[in-house]
Amino acid sequence: MGNETTPFKRQWAKWRFIGLAIIALAIFVKFFVLKDEEEETLAPIVEVDISKVAFKSEKEVEAVLGKGKLDSYWRDANAGCDKCPKVIYRDGKIEIIYINEIADRITINNLSEYAFKNHVVLGLLDLKRDIDPSFENDEVKRWDNYEKYTQIAAFAKKDKIEYILIKSKSK
C-alpha cells in the first residue's frame, strides 16, 4: 500500500512544478512581452522638440523648423509686447510669437489625430510624460511652471487634441 501512494505523490509534485512553470511564464509574458495600453497610445512622433525651439532666436528656430513666414504682429501689454512678430512654420502647423526676440508663445495646431491624454501631450513636445497637470477638465490640460516653461496648455475637442500652447517666459 505504501508503494502505490509514492508514484501518486511523485506525479503530483511533477504536475505542481509544471503548473508553477506555466504561471511564471504567464507573469513574464504579462510584464515583459505584452505592451501596456498606455504605452500603445504614446505619441508616435515628437511634433516639436520644444527644448530646441523655446527661448531661441528667430534664426535658431529657423535652423530647427525651416523657413518661417511672417503672419502678423501681436500686441500684449502684459507681456510687454507692442509689435511682436508672429511667424508661421510648416504650413501653419506651428505659430511662434517672438517676445523680446525669443520664441516665447508657441502654438502647435492640427493635432486631432492624437488622444487627449497627459503622456501624449507631453510626448508630442518630447517632455517627461509622468507629470500631472496643474489643472484639467474635458477641454483643457494645463501645466504651470513645468520645468523652465511658464505654462503648457493643451486644448481638446471630443477627446482629441486640438492644439497645444507653450508659454516659454511670458505669463
Side-chain angles (χ1 to χ4, degrees), residues 96-152:
I96 298 179
I97 297 171
Y98 291 89
I99 301 173
N100 297 321
E101 298 180 16
I102 63 165
D104 199 327
R105 291 178 60 98
I106 302 156
T107 305
I108 304 160
N109 299 302
N110 307 324
L111 299 171
S112 60
E113 64 196 85
Y114 299 109
F116 189 54
K117 297 182 182 276
N118 298 347
H119 64 278
V120 175
V121 171
L122 297 174
L124 287 166
L125 303 173
D126 202 24
L127 295 170
K128 288 182 191 163
R129 297 172 169 97
D130 59 349
I131 297 173
D132 291 329
S134 313
F135 170 83
E136 72 180 300
N137 63 28
D138 291 342
E139 296 170 352
V140 178
K141 290 181 185 287
R142 189 182 72 227
W143 290 262
D144 293 320
N145 300 310
Y146 181 100
E147 293 178 0
K148 60 187 174 184
Y149 310 102
T150 302
Q151 188 179 91
I152 296 170

Short mmCIF file of all heavy atoms in Angstrom, two decimals, residues 96-152:
data_model
loop_
_atom_site.label_atom_id
_atom_site.label_comp_id
_atom_site.label_asym_id
_atom_site.label_seq_id
_atom_site.Cartn_x
_atom_site.Cartn_y
_atom_site.Cartn_z
N ILE A 96 4.68 80.87 -33.90
CA ILE A 96 5.54 81.34 -32.81
C ILE A 96 5.48 82.86 -32.76
O ILE A 96 5.64 83.53 -33.77
CB ILE A 96 7.00 80.88 -32.99
CG1 ILE A 96 7.06 79.36 -32.97
CG2 ILE A 96 7.89 81.48 -31.89
CD1 ILE A 96 8.45 78.77 -33.17
N ILE A 97 5.26 83.36 -31.55
CA ILE A 97 5.32 84.81 -31.32
C ILE A 97 6.63 85.07 -30.59
O ILE A 97 6.90 84.48 -29.54
CB ILE A 97 4.12 85.30 -30.49
CG1 ILE A 97 2.82 85.04 -31.29
CG2 ILE A 97 4.27 86.77 -30.14
CD1 ILE A 97 1.55 85.29 -30.52
N TYR A 98 7.43 85.94 -31.18
CA TYR A 98 8.74 86.28 -30.60
C TYR A 98 8.56 87.51 -29.72
O TYR A 98 8.19 88.58 -30.19
CB TYR A 98 9.75 86.57 -31.72
CG TYR A 98 10.12 85.32 -32.48
CD1 TYR A 98 9.39 84.93 -33.60
CD2 TYR A 98 11.17 84.53 -32.06
CE1 TYR A 98 9.71 83.77 -34.28
CE2 TYR A 98 11.50 83.37 -32.73
CZ TYR A 98 10.77 82.99 -33.84
OH TYR A 98 11.09 81.84 -34.51
N ILE A 99 8.80 87.33 -28.43
CA ILE A 99 8.71 88.42 -27.47
C ILE A 99 10.13 88.68 -26.97
O ILE A 99 10.80 87.75 -26.52
CB ILE A 99 7.76 88.06 -26.30
CG1 ILE A 99 6.36 87.75 -26.85
CG2 ILE A 99 7.71 89.19 -25.28
CD1 ILE A 99 5.38 87.22 -25.82
N ASN A 100 10.55 89.92 -27.05
CA ASN A 100 11.93 90.29 -26.71
C ASN A 100 12.94 89.42 -27.47
O ASN A 100 13.93 88.95 -26.93
CB ASN A 100 12.19 90.20 -25.19
CG ASN A 100 11.32 91.18 -24.43
OD1 ASN A 100 11.10 92.31 -24.87
ND2 ASN A 100 10.78 90.75 -23.30
N GLU A 101 12.61 89.18 -28.72
CA GLU A 101 13.46 88.47 -29.68
C GLU A 101 13.72 86.99 -29.37
O GLU A 101 14.67 86.41 -29.88
CB GLU A 101 14.77 89.23 -29.89
CG GLU A 101 14.51 90.62 -30.46
CD GLU A 101 15.79 91.42 -30.69
OE1 GLU A 101 16.89 90.84 -30.70
OE2 GLU A 101 15.67 92.63 -30.88
N ILE A 102 12.88 86.40 -28.52
CA ILE A 102 12.99 84.95 -28.31
C ILE A 102 11.63 84.30 -28.58
O ILE A 102 10.59 84.93 -28.41
CB ILE A 102 13.46 84.58 -26.86
CG1 ILE A 102 12.45 85.04 -25.81
CG2 ILE A 102 14.86 85.10 -26.59
CD1 ILE A 102 12.65 84.42 -24.44
N ALA A 103 11.65 83.02 -28.97
CA ALA A 103 10.42 82.26 -29.21
C ALA A 103 9.74 82.06 -27.85
O ALA A 103 10.22 81.31 -27.03
CB ALA A 103 10.76 80.92 -29.85
N ASP A 104 8.67 82.79 -27.65
CA ASP A 104 8.02 82.79 -26.34
C ASP A 104 6.68 82.08 -26.33
O ASP A 104 6.45 81.18 -25.55
CB ASP A 104 7.88 84.22 -25.83
CG ASP A 104 7.66 84.27 -24.33
OD1 ASP A 104 7.04 83.34 -23.79
OD2 ASP A 104 8.11 85.23 -23.70
N ARG A 105 5.78 82.47 -27.21
CA ARG A 105 4.45 81.83 -27.29
C ARG A 105 4.44 80.91 -28.50
O ARG A 105 4.46 81.38 -29.63
CB ARG A 105 3.35 82.87 -27.40
CG ARG A 105 3.16 83.69 -26.13
CD ARG A 105 2.09 84.75 -26.31
NE ARG A 105 0.80 84.16 -26.64
CZ ARG A 105 -0.16 83.93 -25.75
NH1 ARG A 105 0.01 84.23 -24.50
NH2 ARG A 105 -1.29 83.40 -26.13
N ILE A 106 4.39 79.62 -28.25
CA ILE A 106 4.48 78.64 -29.33
C ILE A 106 3.17 77.86 -29.36
O ILE A 106 2.75 77.30 -28.34
CB ILE A 106 5.67 77.68 -29.07
CG1 ILE A 106 6.96 78.50 -28.96
CG2 ILE A 106 5.76 76.62 -30.17
CD1 ILE A 106 8.05 77.82 -28.18
N THR A 107 2.53 77.84 -30.53
CA THR A 107 1.28 77.11 -30.69
C THR A 107 1.50 76.02 -31.73
O THR A 107 2.02 76.28 -32.81
CB THR A 107 0.15 78.04 -31.16
OG1 THR A 107 0.05 79.14 -30.24
CG2 THR A 107 -1.18 77.32 -31.21
N ILE A 108 1.09 74.81 -31.39
CA ILE A 108 1.17 73.69 -32.33
C ILE A 108 -0.27 73.30 -32.65
O ILE A 108 -1.04 72.94 -31.75
CB ILE A 108 1.95 72.51 -31.73
CG1 ILE A 108 3.32 72.99 -31.29
CG2 ILE A 108 2.07 71.38 -32.74
CD1 ILE A 108 3.98 72.11 -30.29
N ASN A 109 -0.63 73.40 -33.92
CA ASN A 109 -2.00 73.18 -34.38
C ASN A 109 -2.17 71.82 -35.05
O ASN A 109 -1.20 71.12 -35.31
CB ASN A 109 -2.38 74.27 -35.39
CG ASN A 109 -2.33 75.65 -34.77
OD1 ASN A 109 -3.00 75.92 -33.79
ND2 ASN A 109 -1.51 76.52 -35.33
N ASN A 110 -3.42 71.51 -35.39
CA ASN A 110 -3.77 70.33 -36.19
C ASN A 110 -3.26 69.04 -35.56
O ASN A 110 -2.53 68.27 -36.17
CB ASN A 110 -3.22 70.45 -37.62
CG ASN A 110 -3.64 71.75 -38.27
OD1 ASN A 110 -4.75 72.23 -38.06
ND2 ASN A 110 -2.76 72.33 -39.05
N LEU A 111 -3.65 68.79 -34.33
CA LEU A 111 -3.22 67.58 -33.61
C LEU A 111 -4.38 66.62 -33.34
O LEU A 111 -4.31 65.79 -32.46
CB LEU A 111 -2.56 68.00 -32.28
CG LEU A 111 -1.32 68.87 -32.41
CD1 LEU A 111 -0.89 69.40 -31.05
CD2 LEU A 111 -0.19 68.11 -33.07
N SER A 112 -5.45 66.73 -34.12
CA SER A 112 -6.67 65.96 -33.84
C SER A 112 -6.52 64.45 -33.99
O SER A 112 -7.40 63.70 -33.61
CB SER A 112 -7.81 66.45 -34.72
OG SER A 112 -7.47 66.28 -36.08
N GLU A 113 -5.40 63.99 -34.50
CA GLU A 113 -5.19 62.53 -34.60
C GLU A 113 -4.73 61.94 -33.27
O GLU A 113 -4.67 60.73 -33.11
CB GLU A 113 -4.18 62.22 -35.70
CG GLU A 113 -2.80 62.78 -35.42
CD GLU A 113 -1.91 62.80 -36.65
OE1 GLU A 113 -2.00 63.77 -37.41
OE2 GLU A 113 -1.13 61.85 -36.82
N TYR A 114 -4.40 62.79 -32.30
CA TYR A 114 -3.85 62.32 -31.03
C TYR A 114 -4.88 62.37 -29.90
O TYR A 114 -5.65 63.32 -29.79
CB TYR A 114 -2.63 63.15 -30.63
CG TYR A 114 -1.52 63.08 -31.65
CD1 TYR A 114 -1.23 64.17 -32.44
CD2 TYR A 114 -0.79 61.91 -31.81
CE1 TYR A 114 -0.21 64.10 -33.39
CE2 TYR A 114 0.23 61.83 -32.75
CZ TYR A 114 0.51 62.93 -33.54
OH TYR A 114 1.50 62.84 -34.46
N ALA A 115 -4.82 61.36 -29.04
CA ALA A 115 -5.71 61.28 -27.88
C ALA A 115 -5.35 62.38 -26.87
O ALA A 115 -4.19 62.74 -26.72
CB ALA A 115 -5.59 59.91 -27.22
N PHE A 116 -6.36 62.87 -26.18
CA PHE A 116 -6.19 63.94 -25.19
C PHE A 116 -5.79 63.31 -23.86
O PHE A 116 -6.57 63.24 -22.92
CB PHE A 116 -7.49 64.73 -25.08
CG PHE A 116 -7.39 65.99 -24.28
CD1 PHE A 116 -6.44 66.95 -24.56
CD2 PHE A 116 -8.26 66.22 -23.23
CE1 PHE A 116 -6.37 68.13 -23.81
CE2 PHE A 116 -8.21 67.39 -22.48
CZ PHE A 116 -7.25 68.34 -22.78
N LYS A 117 -4.56 62.83 -23.78
CA LYS A 117 -4.03 62.20 -22.57
C LYS A 117 -2.73 62.90 -22.19
O LYS A 117 -1.99 63.37 -23.06
CB LYS A 117 -3.75 60.71 -22.82
CG LYS A 117 -5.01 59.93 -23.13
CD LYS A 117 -4.69 58.46 -23.31
CE LYS A 117 -5.90 57.66 -23.68
NZ LYS A 117 -6.70 57.24 -22.57
N ASN A 118 -2.45 62.95 -20.89
CA ASN A 118 -1.27 63.67 -20.40
C ASN A 118 0.01 63.22 -21.09
O ASN A 118 0.79 64.04 -21.57
CB ASN A 118 -1.10 63.46 -18.89
CG ASN A 118 -2.27 64.00 -18.10
OD1 ASN A 118 -3.11 64.74 -18.61
ND2 ASN A 118 -2.34 63.63 -16.83
N HIS A 119 0.25 61.91 -21.10
CA HIS A 119 1.50 61.41 -21.65
C HIS A 119 1.62 61.66 -23.16
O HIS A 119 2.71 61.80 -23.68
CB HIS A 119 1.70 59.93 -21.32
CG HIS A 119 0.69 59.03 -21.93
ND1 HIS A 119 -0.55 58.82 -21.38
CD2 HIS A 119 0.73 58.29 -23.06
CE1 HIS A 119 -1.23 57.99 -22.14
NE2 HIS A 119 -0.48 57.66 -23.17
N VAL A 120 0.49 61.76 -23.86
CA VAL A 120 0.54 62.05 -25.29
C VAL A 120 0.89 63.52 -25.51
O VAL A 120 1.76 63.84 -26.32
CB VAL A 120 -0.81 61.69 -25.97
CG1 VAL A 120 -0.80 62.11 -27.43
CG2 VAL A 120 -1.08 60.20 -25.85
N VAL A 121 0.24 64.41 -24.76
CA VAL A 121 0.52 65.85 -24.89
C VAL A 121 2.01 66.11 -24.64
O VAL A 121 2.69 66.74 -25.44
CB VAL A 121 -0.34 66.68 -23.90
CG1 VAL A 121 0.11 68.13 -23.88
CG2 VAL A 121 -1.81 66.57 -24.25
N LEU A 122 2.52 65.61 -23.53
CA LEU A 122 3.92 65.86 -23.19
C LEU A 122 4.86 65.12 -24.15
O LEU A 122 5.93 65.63 -24.48
CB LEU A 122 4.18 65.46 -21.74
CG LEU A 122 3.39 66.28 -20.71
CD1 LEU A 122 3.60 65.74 -19.31
CD2 LEU A 122 3.72 67.76 -20.78
N GLY A 123 4.45 63.96 -24.62
CA GLY A 123 5.26 63.20 -25.58
C GLY A 123 5.41 63.92 -26.90
O GLY A 123 6.47 63.88 -27.53
N LEU A 124 4.36 64.62 -27.34
CA LEU A 124 4.44 65.38 -28.59
C LEU A 124 5.49 66.49 -28.51
O LEU A 124 6.01 66.94 -29.52
CB LEU A 124 3.07 66.00 -28.92
CG LEU A 124 2.01 65.02 -29.40
CD1 LEU A 124 0.63 65.66 -29.38
CD2 LEU A 124 2.34 64.50 -30.79
N LEU A 125 5.79 66.93 -27.29
CA LEU A 125 6.77 68.00 -27.08
C LEU A 125 8.13 67.45 -26.65
O LEU A 125 9.04 68.21 -26.35
CB LEU A 125 6.25 68.98 -26.02
CG LEU A 125 4.89 69.61 -26.32
CD1 LEU A 125 4.41 70.41 -25.12
CD2 LEU A 125 4.95 70.46 -27.56
N ASP A 126 8.24 66.14 -26.57
CA ASP A 126 9.45 65.45 -26.13
C ASP A 126 9.81 65.82 -24.69
O ASP A 126 10.95 66.10 -24.36
CB ASP A 126 10.63 65.72 -27.07
CG ASP A 126 11.70 64.64 -26.95
OD1 ASP A 126 11.37 63.52 -26.53
OD2 ASP A 126 12.88 64.92 -27.26
N LEU A 127 8.78 65.84 -23.84
CA LEU A 127 8.97 66.13 -22.42
C LEU A 127 8.66 64.89 -21.60
O LEU A 127 8.01 63.96 -22.07
CB LEU A 127 8.04 67.28 -21.99
CG LEU A 127 8.31 68.62 -22.65
CD1 LEU A 127 7.19 69.60 -22.34
CD2 LEU A 127 9.64 69.20 -22.20
N LYS A 128 9.10 64.90 -20.32
CA LYS A 128 8.78 63.79 -19.43
C LYS A 128 7.27 63.63 -19.35
O LYS A 128 6.56 64.60 -19.16
CB LYS A 128 9.33 64.06 -18.03
CG LYS A 128 10.82 63.96 -17.94
CD LYS A 128 11.24 64.20 -16.50
CE LYS A 128 12.74 64.39 -16.43
NZ LYS A 128 13.13 65.01 -15.17
N ARG A 129 6.81 62.41 -19.46
CA ARG A 129 5.38 62.16 -19.60
C ARG A 129 4.65 61.89 -18.30
O ARG A 129 3.44 61.75 -18.29
CB ARG A 129 5.18 60.97 -20.53
CG ARG A 129 5.69 61.22 -21.92
CD ARG A 129 5.65 59.94 -22.72
NE ARG A 129 5.89 60.20 -24.12
CZ ARG A 129 7.07 60.06 -24.68
NH1 ARG A 129 8.11 59.66 -23.99
NH2 ARG A 129 7.22 60.32 -25.95
N ASP A 130 5.34 61.77 -17.19
CA ASP A 130 4.68 61.31 -15.97
C ASP A 130 4.32 62.42 -14.99
O ASP A 130 4.17 62.18 -13.81
CB ASP A 130 5.56 60.26 -15.29
CG ASP A 130 6.94 60.80 -14.93
OD1 ASP A 130 7.28 61.91 -15.38
OD2 ASP A 130 7.67 60.13 -14.20
N ILE A 131 4.17 63.63 -15.48
CA ILE A 131 3.83 64.75 -14.59
C ILE A 131 2.37 65.13 -14.81
O ILE A 131 1.94 65.36 -15.95
CB ILE A 131 4.77 65.95 -14.85
CG1 ILE A 131 6.20 65.53 -14.51
CG2 ILE A 131 4.33 67.16 -14.06
CD1 ILE A 131 7.25 66.54 -14.87
N ASP A 132 1.61 65.17 -13.72
CA ASP A 132 0.19 65.52 -13.82
C ASP A 132 0.01 67.01 -14.01
O ASP A 132 0.79 67.82 -13.50
CB ASP A 132 -0.55 65.08 -12.55
CG ASP A 132 -0.64 63.57 -12.44
OD1 ASP A 132 -0.70 62.90 -13.48
OD2 ASP A 132 -0.63 63.06 -11.29
N PRO A 133 -1.04 67.40 -14.74
CA PRO A 133 -1.29 68.83 -14.97
C PRO A 133 -1.71 69.55 -13.68
O PRO A 133 -2.23 68.94 -12.75
CB PRO A 133 -2.43 68.85 -15.98
CG PRO A 133 -2.89 67.46 -16.16
CD PRO A 133 -1.98 66.55 -15.43
N SER A 134 -1.47 70.87 -13.66
CA SER A 134 -1.90 71.71 -12.53
C SER A 134 -3.42 71.87 -12.55
O SER A 134 -4.05 72.04 -11.53
CB SER A 134 -1.29 73.11 -12.64
OG SER A 134 0.08 73.04 -12.91
N PHE A 135 -3.98 71.84 -13.77
CA PHE A 135 -5.42 72.00 -13.95
C PHE A 135 -5.85 71.13 -15.12
O PHE A 135 -5.12 71.03 -16.11
CB PHE A 135 -5.77 73.46 -14.26
CG PHE A 135 -7.19 73.66 -14.68
CD1 PHE A 135 -8.18 73.78 -13.73
CD2 PHE A 135 -7.55 73.69 -16.02
CE1 PHE A 135 -9.52 73.94 -14.10
CE2 PHE A 135 -8.87 73.85 -16.41
CZ PHE A 135 -9.86 73.98 -15.45
N GLU A 136 -7.02 70.50 -14.99
CA GLU A 136 -7.54 69.77 -16.15
C GLU A 136 -9.04 69.60 -16.06
O GLU A 136 -9.61 69.50 -14.98
CB GLU A 136 -6.85 68.42 -16.35
CG GLU A 136 -7.18 67.34 -15.37
CD GLU A 136 -6.44 66.04 -15.68
OE1 GLU A 136 -6.61 65.48 -16.78
OE2 GLU A 136 -5.67 65.60 -14.81
N ASN A 137 -9.67 69.63 -17.24
CA ASN A 137 -11.07 69.26 -17.38
C ASN A 137 -11.20 68.57 -18.74
O ASN A 137 -10.18 68.16 -19.31
CB ASN A 137 -12.00 70.47 -17.21
CG ASN A 137 -11.80 71.54 -18.26
OD1 ASN A 137 -11.37 71.27 -19.38
ND2 ASN A 137 -12.11 72.77 -17.91
N ASP A 138 -12.39 68.44 -19.26
CA ASP A 138 -12.58 67.71 -20.52
C ASP A 138 -11.99 68.43 -21.73
O ASP A 138 -11.75 67.81 -22.76
CB ASP A 138 -14.07 67.46 -20.78
CG ASP A 138 -14.65 66.46 -19.79
OD1 ASP A 138 -13.86 65.74 -19.15
OD2 ASP A 138 -15.90 66.40 -19.67
N GLU A 139 -11.77 69.73 -21.61
CA GLU A 139 -11.31 70.50 -22.77
C GLU A 139 -9.93 71.13 -22.61
O GLU A 139 -9.36 71.60 -23.59
CB GLU A 139 -12.33 71.60 -23.08
CG GLU A 139 -13.68 71.03 -23.50
CD GLU A 139 -14.77 72.07 -23.59
OE1 GLU A 139 -14.53 73.23 -23.18
OE2 GLU A 139 -15.86 71.73 -24.05
N VAL A 140 -9.39 71.15 -21.40
CA VAL A 140 -8.09 71.81 -21.16
C VAL A 140 -7.26 70.99 -20.18
O VAL A 140 -7.77 70.49 -19.19
CB VAL A 140 -8.29 73.23 -20.56
CG1 VAL A 140 -6.95 73.89 -20.28
CG2 VAL A 140 -9.14 74.09 -21.45
N LYS A 141 -5.98 70.91 -20.48
CA LYS A 141 -4.98 70.39 -19.53
C LYS A 141 -3.91 71.46 -19.48
O LYS A 141 -3.43 71.91 -20.51
CB LYS A 141 -4.37 69.08 -20.02
CG LYS A 141 -5.32 67.91 -19.99
CD LYS A 141 -4.62 66.65 -20.48
CE LYS A 141 -5.57 65.49 -20.59
NZ LYS A 141 -5.99 64.92 -19.33
N ARG A 142 -3.54 71.86 -18.26
CA ARG A 142 -2.55 72.94 -18.14
C ARG A 142 -1.50 72.59 -17.10
O ARG A 142 -1.82 72.16 -16.00
CB ARG A 142 -3.26 74.24 -17.73
CG ARG A 142 -2.36 75.44 -17.79
CD ARG A 142 -3.06 76.70 -17.34
NE ARG A 142 -3.26 76.64 -15.89
CZ ARG A 142 -4.39 76.93 -15.28
NH1 ARG A 142 -5.44 77.30 -15.95
NH2 ARG A 142 -4.46 76.84 -13.97
N TRP A 143 -0.25 72.75 -17.49
CA TRP A 143 0.87 72.56 -16.59
C TRP A 143 1.48 73.94 -16.35
O TRP A 143 1.93 74.60 -17.29
CB TRP A 143 1.93 71.65 -17.22
CG TRP A 143 1.53 70.22 -17.35
CD1 TRP A 143 1.85 69.22 -16.50
CD2 TRP A 143 0.77 69.61 -18.40
NE1 TRP A 143 1.33 68.02 -16.95
CE2 TRP A 143 0.66 68.24 -18.11
CE3 TRP A 143 0.16 70.10 -19.56
CZ2 TRP A 143 -0.02 67.35 -18.93
CZ3 TRP A 143 -0.52 69.21 -20.39
CH2 TRP A 143 -0.61 67.85 -20.06
N ASP A 144 1.45 74.40 -15.10
CA ASP A 144 2.05 75.69 -14.75
C ASP A 144 3.46 75.46 -14.25
O ASP A 144 3.71 74.53 -13.47
CB ASP A 144 1.22 76.39 -13.66
CG ASP A 144 -0.15 76.80 -14.18
OD1 ASP A 144 -0.24 77.26 -15.34
OD2 ASP A 144 -1.13 76.64 -13.44
N ASN A 145 4.38 76.31 -14.68
CA ASN A 145 5.79 76.23 -14.29
C ASN A 145 6.35 74.81 -14.46
O ASN A 145 6.95 74.25 -13.56
CB ASN A 145 5.98 76.72 -12.86
CG ASN A 145 5.54 78.17 -12.72
OD1 ASN A 145 5.94 79.01 -13.51
ND2 ASN A 145 4.68 78.44 -11.76
N TYR A 146 6.12 74.26 -15.63
CA TYR A 146 6.64 72.94 -15.97
C TYR A 146 8.09 73.11 -16.39
O TYR A 146 8.36 73.77 -17.40
CB TYR A 146 5.82 72.33 -17.11
CG TYR A 146 6.29 70.94 -17.51
CD1 TYR A 146 5.62 69.83 -17.06
CD2 TYR A 146 7.40 70.77 -18.31
CE1 TYR A 146 6.05 68.55 -17.40
CE2 TYR A 146 7.84 69.50 -18.65
CZ TYR A 146 7.15 68.40 -18.20
OH TYR A 146 7.59 67.16 -18.54
N GLU A 147 9.00 72.55 -15.61
CA GLU A 147 10.44 72.72 -15.83
C GLU A 147 10.73 74.21 -16.03
O GLU A 147 10.37 75.00 -15.19
CB GLU A 147 10.91 71.85 -17.00
CG GLU A 147 10.83 70.36 -16.67
CD GLU A 147 11.26 69.46 -17.81
OE1 GLU A 147 11.64 69.94 -18.90
OE2 GLU A 147 11.22 68.22 -17.60
N LYS A 148 11.30 74.60 -17.16
CA LYS A 148 11.66 76.01 -17.36
C LYS A 148 10.58 76.82 -18.06
O LYS A 148 10.73 78.00 -18.29
CB LYS A 148 12.97 76.11 -18.13
CG LYS A 148 12.93 75.48 -19.50
CD LYS A 148 14.30 75.48 -20.15
CE LYS A 148 14.27 74.72 -21.46
NZ LYS A 148 15.58 74.62 -22.06
N TYR A 149 9.46 76.19 -18.40
CA TYR A 149 8.40 76.86 -19.15
C TYR A 149 7.35 77.43 -18.19
O TYR A 149 6.96 76.78 -17.23
CB TYR A 149 7.73 75.88 -20.13
CG TYR A 149 8.75 75.14 -20.96
CD1 TYR A 149 9.09 73.84 -20.67
CD2 TYR A 149 9.42 75.79 -22.00
CE1 TYR A 149 10.06 73.17 -21.41
CE2 TYR A 149 10.39 75.13 -22.74
CZ TYR A 149 10.71 73.82 -22.44
OH TYR A 149 11.67 73.17 -23.16
N THR A 150 6.88 78.63 -18.48
CA THR A 150 5.87 79.27 -17.64
C THR A 150 4.58 78.45 -17.65
O THR A 150 3.98 78.22 -16.61
CB THR A 150 5.57 80.70 -18.15
OG1 THR A 150 6.80 81.43 -18.13
CG2 THR A 150 4.56 81.39 -17.28
N GLN A 151 4.18 78.02 -18.85
CA GLN A 151 2.92 77.27 -18.94
C GLN A 151 2.88 76.43 -20.22
O GLN A 151 3.34 76.85 -21.27
CB GLN A 151 1.74 78.23 -18.94
CG GLN A 151 0.39 77.57 -18.85
CD GLN A 151 -0.70 78.61 -18.82
OE1 GLN A 151 -1.21 78.99 -19.87
NE2 GLN A 151 -1.05 79.06 -17.63
N ILE A 152 2.29 75.26 -20.09
CA ILE A 152 1.99 74.41 -21.24
C ILE A 152 0.50 74.09 -21.11
O ILE A 152 0.05 73.63 -20.06
CB ILE A 152 2.81 73.11 -21.22
CG1 ILE A 152 4.30 73.43 -21.37
CG2 ILE A 152 2.34 72.15 -22.33
CD1 ILE A 152 5.22 72.25 -21.12
#
